[in-house]
Amino acid sequence: DSPTVAVEKDMVVVGASGDKIGMVKEVLVDALNDELTHIVVHPGRLFGKDHAVPADLIDGVAEGNVMLKVDK
């Protein structure tokens, strides 16, 4: 069940422990039902690899930060 939260590009992504994981690089939405399916997180390091994070791992959005249910 995808959260209906307002996740936007360039928001800070924070893990369950409160540590910054990276930034939202892209928001992926299902074209049929307009539901959030994944966010692409850029870790912010020079050669860091982007990661697609399923929407069900998003705990919510608070103060412009995307909060995840996991740390990494």
Side-chain angles (χ1 to χ4, degrees), residues 31-48:
L32 296 176
N33 58 18
D34 211 33
E35 281 189 14
L36 176 68
T37 60
H38 292 77
I39 60 172
V40 178
V41 179
H42 182 70
R45 296 186 303 275
L46 185 58
F47 295 107

Side-chain angles (χ1 to χ4, degrees), residues 20 22 25 59:
K20 178 181 171 182
K25 183 176 180 182
D59 202 21

Side-chain angles (χ1 to χ4, degrees), residues 6-55:
V7 177
E8 297 175 15
K9 190 176 175 186
D10 297 329
M11 283 182 150
V12 174
V13 180
V14 179
S17 65
D19 293 332
K20 178 181 171 182
I21 294 175
M23 303 283 284
V24 177
K25 183 176 180 182
E26 203 172 338
V27 178
L28 306 178
V29 176
D30 187 316
L32 296 176
N33 58 18
D34 211 33
E35 281 189 14
L36 176 68
T37 60
H38 292 77
I39 60 172
V40 178
V41 179
H42 182 70
R45 296 186 303 275
L46 185 58
F47 295 107
K49 192 174 170 196
D50 294 347
H51 294 281
V53 177

